[in-house]
Amino acid sequence: MEKFLKMSNIFQNIAIGLRAIKSNPTRVFLTSLGLTIGIFTVSIITAGVSSIDKEFEKSMAYYGNDKLYVSTWPWSFNFDWWKYRNRPRIEEDNLQYITQYSEYIDDVSLRKTTWIRGSYGNTASWLQINGVYPSYQDMLSGTKIENGRFFSQNEWDLQRRVIIVGATVRDGFFDGQDPIGKTIRLGGVSFEVIGELKKQGMGMVPGGTLDNLVIMPSTTFKRILTRWGFDELVLKTKPEQMAIAKEEAEMIMRVARKLKPDEENNFAVNSADAYKEQFDSLKIAIAGVGFLVTGISLIVSAIGIMNVMFVSVKERTKEIGLRKAMGATSRNILVQFLSEAVTISIIGGLAGIILVKLLTLVLATFLPVSFDLLLIFYTFLVCVFIGITAGMIPARNAANLNPIDALRHE
Amino acid sequence: MSKKEIISIESISKIYQLGDNVVKALDNVSLKIFENDFISIMGPSGSGKSTLMNIIGCLDVPSKGTYKLDNIEIDKMTDSDLAKIRNQKIGFVFQTFNLLPKLNAVQNVEVPLIYSSLSKSERISKAKNALNSVGLGNRLDHKPNELSGGQRQRVAIARALVNSPSIILADEPTGNLDSKSGLEILKFFDELHQAGNTIIVVTHEDSVAKRAKRKVEIFDGKISKDE
């Protein structure tokens, strides 16, 4: 019971603090504005960083954590593109060396890529075409055959015009109906759909959506789609062997290319970590700038709150004296002023959260952002912390006032 | 019939150290105040009457000597214990009323009750009763600036009474009032005295002191007259 009474006492003092806020809304608004901005920026930064993380995970899934891609160009480079543009094309023959000499590569496939207009009836769309080996079925990452089947060795040998389509083809061409068995035209040649891939969604990877995809035998690709495109070798290893397999693939490729020891690689062995570096540097840049801005604005707003609290204590010196004469303990006064400071900062934080919520509502219509409920909790904690930190010195000054002097204060 | 002793001050001194100067605001003062006394404390400024009043009001502690209020030793208490004593045992009435301008009459009277852990409904009914007893039952929702000086002081008296204190300590209660309102307040003190309250009035006006049943005069930190 004693404890309960003490609690209700605390609430009383909080109520007194709140009343002081109600009586000066403009001051409270201006003071809490800094915190609003701080919370707003920190939320934007957090949302930004977490969407980068999500995108990164998606592209990891897309490229796979167990795959190496031998290409002409490295996936990430810094303005030194001229070094790569005259490199020789990747040749299918290199695969033989790799399968023959490699210890860590479990499976390989050629992957030819081009973009072409595909059509069905009156609808047409640009599609990404991959020409691959039958083994590529086990090397799909981030997706799988959901409907129908992959092409067989036999179909590959016979250069059959069979395709596996990405998830957007169903809605784009067939109004959501089962595409299996239908025929679509790619560059004027008709292909039969034999399989359908699971939807992958949007990604930061080149090409935006990952589902505008068509897979066919590389033999068919070579015979029919002779226009511009590029080739890559896809190598499958085990996730824990990525580093060593990468080294090995590089060695074998150098041998295959007959490079002298002092010559630089004229090919690139890529893996999803290349993106990780890019994502990480982007993340660090955003987070660094963001937290600097936020940190400054939070410190400034804490100082603002402290200043306002000093003014509030000064203004109400006589009231403090009176309350003490009427039986308020130092603790009562401390709680009263601390709760005033905390409330100012929570008001600022709430305004920030409301702003963030509105912004995400707007952004969500065209960007994959989401509003994190945990954010409210963290903001609350931060605001309570800032309020207590900023309010502590003024509130202690108030609590330690001598009632006689305070009463005499004019 | 001997009356109950409410205040027992035994040779207290209050010494201030101002730089190299030692100021004896109170010098070996002893005073006993009994239940239902109506005392005036008079003295010129600088005589030490404010210091004595602060000590009696538990706002300050003596440097030397003992002070018992309702048989509780005050002189060695901590600040928060003193706050509790002030809350329960003493009703202050100030010269400048010291009402909180943003609160209405009921809320002002409620202030001491907030620090004595009562429920809200209890607080409001007690505050209303106190205001009724000072004749302001029809001014409950008025803010201080909507009340006359005499009415404000009566709100302050209601606030002093609301916790049923052992003593009412009034510091120049009529100092800021015109003579008519002052008289009204003094009459009210008479009524309170007749109702059994113990009243201490600190003043420098003879007309106020005359009302009291016992006059204490203080000069140079010593009690010069007590009759």
Side-chain angles (χ1 to χ4, degrees):
Chain A
M1 190 64 195
E2 178 95 356
K3 219 170 191 155
F4 172 76
L5 286 178
K6 274 217 173 106
M7 278 306 283
S8 75
N9 206 327
I10 284 179
F11 289 131
Q12 270 314 315
N13 294 303
I14 291 173
I16 296 167
L18 293 188
R19 201 148 49 198
I21 283 169
K22 224 168 80 185
S23 68
N24 215 331
T26 323
R27 183 199 285 175
V28 170
F29 169 73
L30 289 175
T31 310
S32 60
L33 200 59
L35 209 61
T36 306
I37 294 166
I39 294 296
F40 182 71
T41 42
V42 80
S43 313
I44 297 298
I45 301 304
T46 323
V49 169
S50 82
S51 12
I52 289 174
D53 269 343
K54 266 184 215 157
E55 288 312 311
F56 171 66
E57 268 165 42
K58 220 182 251 174
S59 25
M60 273 303 267
Y62 179 70
Y63 291 107
N65 62 353
D66 59 348
K67 279 183 207 68
L68 300 169
Y69 296 81
V70 181
S71 332
T72 324
W73 290 64
W75 285 349
S76 90
F77 52 88
N78 302 311
F79 306 110
D80 46 0
W81 50 271
W82 60 84
K83 275 178 22 191
Y84 313 114
R85 55 184 298 236
N86 289 325
R87 285 179 168 185
R89 291 175 65 102
I90 299 291
E91 287 138 20
E92 196 173 354
D93 302 345
N94 296 150
L95 275 180
Q96 286 170 6
Y97 277 89
I98 291 170
T99 36
Q100 193 177 339
Y101 296 114
S102 166
E103 207 177 316
Y104 299 105
I105 305 298
D106 301 330
D107 213 344
V108 297
S109 170
L110 175 70
R111 187 169 80 176
K112 297 171 82 66
T113 302
T114 191
W115 284 268
I116 202 168
R117 256 169 83 90
S119 62
Y120 175 80
N122 290 330
T123 46
S125 170
W126 282 92
L127 297 169
Q128 182 190 333
I129 316 292
N130 282 159
V132 299
Y133 288 178
S135 58
Y136 194 72
Q137 173 167 18
D138 299 323
M139 295 162 71
L140 288 166
S141 43
T143 183
K144 60 179 199 285
I145 300 283
E146 197 174 45
N147 183 15
R149 61 179 180 85
F150 209 74
F151 59 79
S152 65
Q153 183 67 43
N154 196 26
E155 282 166 327
W156 186 81
D157 290 338
L158 296 173
Q159 309 176 3
R160 298 296 297 271
R161 297 197 307 270
V162 287
I163 52 172
I164 294 95
V165 297
T168 52
V169 173
R170 175 192 279 257
D171 289 329
F173 284 170
F174 304 113
D175 283 336
Q177 283 169 10
D178 191 354
I180 305 295
K182 301 257 176 25
T183 305
I184 61 178
R185 294 178 76 79
L186 302 170
V189 181
S190 46
F191 288 80
E192 188 193 346
V193 179
I194 58 166
E196 191 184 11
L197 296 171
K198 186 170 173 272
K199 192 173 168 62
Q200 298 187 74
M202 302 285 286
M204 250 187 207
V205 289
T209 169
L210 308 172
D211 297 309
N212 248 346
L213 178 70
V214 166
I215 296 173
M216 65 172 68
S218 56
T219 50
T220 320
F221 188 111
K222 255 194 271 184
R223 181 166 63 93
I224 295 167
L225 306 173
T226 47
R227 44 177 288 143
W228 176 87
F230 61 91
D231 298 350
E232 289 166 291
L233 309 179
V234 187
L235 315 178
K236 190 183 174 194
T237 176
K238 295 183 181 66
E240 64 274 14
Q241 293 175 351
M242 280 290 275
I244 192 159
K246 196 169 181 172
E247 234 169 83
E248 188 194 54
E250 236 173 82
M251 292 305 296
I252 297 171
M253 278 302 292
R254 283 184 70 89
V255 173
R257 286 274 171 99
K258 299 190 171 66
L259 293 176
K260 295 196 180 77
D262 60 338
E263 276 179 306
E264 276 186 43
N265 290 348
N266 56 4
F267 58 91
V269 181
N270 293 310
S271 60
D273 346 343
Y275 280 86
K276 189 171 164 50
E277 271 166 37
Q278 271 188 330
F279 278 122
D280 279 353
S281 56
L282 188 62
K283 242 164 74 176
I284 289 167
I286 292 179
V289 172
F291 285 114
L292 189 72
V293 171
T294 313
I296 291 170
S297 78
L298 290 187
I299 290 170
V300 169
S301 59
I303 293 169
I305 291 173
M306 195 184 286
N307 186 34
V308 158
M309 291 312 298
F310 274 125
V311 172
S312 182
V313 169
K314 195 93 195 154
E315 273 180 357
R316 283 148 67 197
T317 303
K318 201 157 189 179
E319 176 186 334
I320 295 163
L322 175 77
R323 286 187 185 277
K324 283 196 141 186
M326 301 282 118
T329 60
S330 300
R331 212 180 113 97
N332 292 145
I333 303 293
L334 187 81
V335 170
Q336 174 188 336
F337 281 93
L338 270 188
S339 54
E340 189 177 326
V342 169
T343 310
I344 291 177
S345 92
I346 286 178
I347 288 172
L350 274 181
I353 284 186
I354 291 169
L355 274 185
V356 173
K357 176 75 193 162
L358 289 178
L359 187 79
T360 45
L361 278 182
V362 175
L363 282 184
T365 54
F366 53 89
L367 268 180
V369 290
S370 59
F371 184 73
D372 198 346
L373 273 179
L374 261 182
L375 187 70
I376 298 180
F377 177 70
Y378 288 135
T379 307
F380 185 76
L381 283 190
V382 167
C383 290
V384 170
F385 176 75
I386 288 180
I388 289 179
T389 318
M392 192 43 100
I393 298 171
R396 281 189 55 149
N397 282 1
N400 292 339
L401 279 175
N402 176 341
I404 302 167
D405 299 336
L407 271 171
R408 220 177 274 150
H409 183 92
E410 286 304 329
Chain B
M1 189 185 86
S2 78
K3 282 198 281 187
K4 191 182 153 203
E5 202 174 271
I6 296 224
I7 286 175
S8 154
I9 288 174
E10 290 284 352
S11 52
I12 58 166
S13 301
K14 182 74 188 179
I15 298 159
Y16 294 105
Q17 185 94 35
L18 296 170
D20 290 337
N21 287 354
V22 176
V23 179
K24 278 195 171 180
L26 286 179
D27 187 6
N28 212 12
V29 170
S30 297
L31 182 66
K32 286 191 189 326
I33 296 173
F34 300 93
E35 190 174 28
N36 203 17
D37 264 0
F38 187 175
I39 287 197
S40 70
I41 298 178
M42 284 189 75
S45 52
S47 60
K49 69 179 190 305
S50 294
T51 307
L52 181 60
M53 189 200 69
N54 287 336
I55 289 175
I56 291 174
C58 299
L59 291 166
D60 207 349
V61 286
S63 314
K64 263 190 240 161
T66 57
Y67 170 31
K68 283 189 196 167
L69 171 62
D70 269 353
N71 259 332
I72 305 165
E73 266 193 60
I74 303 297
D75 39 276
K76 283 166 194 81
M77 278 191 157
T78 63
D79 278 354
S80 58
D81 289 334
L82 283 178
K84 202 168 171 186
I85 296 286
R86 289 198 291 271
N87 185 249
Q88 303 296 329
K89 307 259 179 213
I90 296 161
F92 286 96
V93 177
F94 302 96
Q95 177 176 3
T96 52
F97 324 133
N98 281 345
L99 299 175
L100 297 177
K102 288 191 174 124
L103 305 185
N104 65 28
V106 175
Q107 287 165 332
N108 262 298
V109 176
E110 247 187 283
V111 169
L113 298 174
I114 285 173
Y115 302 109
S116 57
S117 5
L118 290 172
S119 77
K120 191 165 175 72
S121 54
E122 275 178 291
R123 289 204 307 265
I124 290 176
S125 74
K126 270 195 160 191
K128 282 182 178 164
N129 286 342
L131 281 167
N132 279 328
S133 72
V134 298
L136 288 175
N138 53 348
R139 294 281 190 276
L140 297 178
D141 300 330
H142 287 55
K143 297 249 169 87
N145 60 1
E146 299 159 343
L147 298 169
S148 73
Q151 285 171 331
R152 284 184 212 180
Q153 194 58 302
R154 276 193 281 161
V155 173
I157 292 169
R159 182 178 64 189
L161 289 173
V162 73
N163 248 345
S164 330
S166 309
I167 53 170
I168 292 167
L169 192 56
D171 181 15
E172 303 279 8
T174 59
N176 267 28
L177 296 172
D178 59 273
S179 53
K180 188 169 159 260
S181 312
L183 210 60
E184 199 187 329
I185 294 297
L186 289 177
K187 269 187 198 153
F188 198 73
F189 275 122
D190 283 340
E191 284 170 36
L192 287 176
H193 175 237
Q194 268 145 37
N197 289 289
T198 312
I199 300 169
I200 303 170
V201 179
V202 178
T203 185
H204 62 267
E205 287 177 60
D206 278 331
S207 61
V208 177
K210 250 185 261 164
R211 295 259 166 183
K213 304 294 173 262
R214 182 177 159 200
K215 295 182 200 69
V216 173
E217 278 181 29
I218 191 160
F219 188 75
D220 259 358
K222 291 189 166 123
I223 289 177
S224 55
K225 205 162 107 185
D226 185 354
E227 56 192 26

